[in-house]
Amino acid sequence: MKLFIYHTPELTPEDKVPDCAIAVDVLRATTTIATVLAAGAEAVQVFSDLDQLIQVSEAWSADKRLRAGERGGAKVAGFDMGNSPLDCTPERVQGRRLFISTTNGTRALQRVQNAAAVTAAAFINRAAVVKYIMAQQPEILWIVGSGWEGSFSLEDTACAGAIAHSIWQQTELPLAELAGNDEVMGAIALYAQWQNNLLDLFHHASHGKRLLRLDCYEDLKYCAQTDIVDVLPLQQEPGVL
Ligand code: 3SL
């Protein structure tokens, strides 16, 4: 296995498609996706365009769908919810399909949707994703952070490091053999430094600060937990997990 980490979707090579890609948007899209599936949602369908989301989701009756829209951290007017994982209670989501569009997370998922296998990871479902990778043993694996509008984000790279660290421990390969690019070692070092203080790390992160300004401290606390849901959001068809 060769593992490559890309800090943003824009940094992925355009002429290559990996055997497996993991999209990461810890704050908060992939945390929300893992949470809603763990809470019993039927599936999650991602969109970059809000109008297209509305149009496609019309085919589902109102009691079988939930529309989630986020821009700049805030809920989009007229949608059922924004992008808070704390809104994904079993009472609310069970048996429904979540149609979701967010600023960066859905873009990362769409960027890798042609990979042979695609999944979504956050700290909360790290172990489930690593278990899948260890079973599949892809030759080429990408972990792609969502970043913020094309820029690096601390929390996504720390989560990529958490996944890489766990794979490294379990493969027992020398890191130099496993790592396909320098970002792998950088991400593991970032995770190793902050693994016991992820909530503190989020307070240093620009998107963490943005969410704190929007009164989302409880979201940050939730997203900072590791391995609390045993769920693998696996793409079934492009854009649907
Ligand atoms: O950028 C995204 O995709 C979102 O996860 C941002 S937010 O956490 O909902 O503000």
Side-chain angles (χ1 to χ4, degrees):
M1 186 187 324
K2 272 282 181 210
L3 166 61
F4 296 79
I5 290 177
Y6 299 102
H7 299 311
T8 66
E10 290 76 9
L11 290 169
T12 56
E14 276 178 18
D15 55 339
K16 296 194 176 100
V17 179
D19 304 311
C20 181
I22 304 171
V24 175
D25 185 18
V26 171
L27 298 175
R28 295 167 290 176
T30 53
T31 302
T32 295
I33 289 170
T35 302
V36 80
L37 291 172
E42 170 253 321
V44 176
Q45 192 160 351
V46 300
F47 295 83
S48 47
D49 185 68
L50 292 167
D51 291 334
Q52 203 198 352
L53 182 160
I54 299 278
Q55 208 186 318
V56 172
S57 61
E58 284 300 329
W60 271 253
S61 59
D63 62 331
K64 290 286 175 213
R65 70 172 186 233
L66 264 178
R67 290 168 169 161
E70 168 276 329
R71 287 295 179 267
K75 173 178 173 289
V76 178
F79 279 61
D80 299 315
M81 55 180 272
N83 186 25
S84 174
L86 302 181
D87 287 340
C88 303
T89 58
E91 301 71 43
R92 191 164 195 204
V93 309
Q94 208 138 40
R96 294 180 173 213
R97 177 171 292 212
L98 184 76
F99 295 88
I100 186 169
S101 177
T102 71
T103 313
N104 304 287
T106 52
R107 249 172 1 111
L109 275 162
Q110 286 179 331
R111 171 65 194 93
V112 297
Q113 70 182 11
N114 294 328
V118 177
T119 185
F123 284 107
I124 64 163
N125 69 333
R126 186 261 319 242
V129 170
V130 170
K131 189 172 163 201
Y132 169 75
I133 298 298
M134 294 309 296
Q136 296 300 310
Q137 292 290 324
E139 256 175 56
I140 303 291
L141 171 64
W142 290 4
I143 307 177
V144 182
S146 299
W148 185 269
E149 295 181 339
S151 303
F152 174 91
S153 72
L154 279 171
E155 68 280 7
D156 290 342
T157 295
C159 184
I163 297 165
H165 182 262
S166 185
I167 292 172
W168 175 36
Q169 300 292 294
Q170 293 184 43
T171 55
E172 294 173 8
L173 283 173
L175 189 53
E177 214 172 291
L178 176 68
N181 60 5
D182 288 1
E183 284 85 336
V184 174
M185 197 176 287
I188 290 175
L190 180 68
Y191 170 66
Q193 170 129 8
W194 290 92
Q195 59 181 318
N196 298 319
N197 294 302
L198 292 173
L199 189 54
D200 283 354
L201 176 68
F202 294 175
H203 279 76
H204 289 282
S206 54
H207 188 47
K209 290 180 189 161
R210 185 178 296 108
L211 288 173
L212 287 169
R213 287 195 295 276
L214 291 166
D215 245 355
C216 296
Y217 175 70
E218 291 303 322
D219 283 50
L220 260 60
K221 259 175 76 179
Y222 177 79
C223 297
Q225 301 172 95
T226 300
D227 301 340
I228 59 160
V229 295
D230 185 19
V231 71
L232 177 73
L234 200 57
Q235 181 174 265
Q236 301 154 25
E237 58 185 89
V240 180
L241 304 124

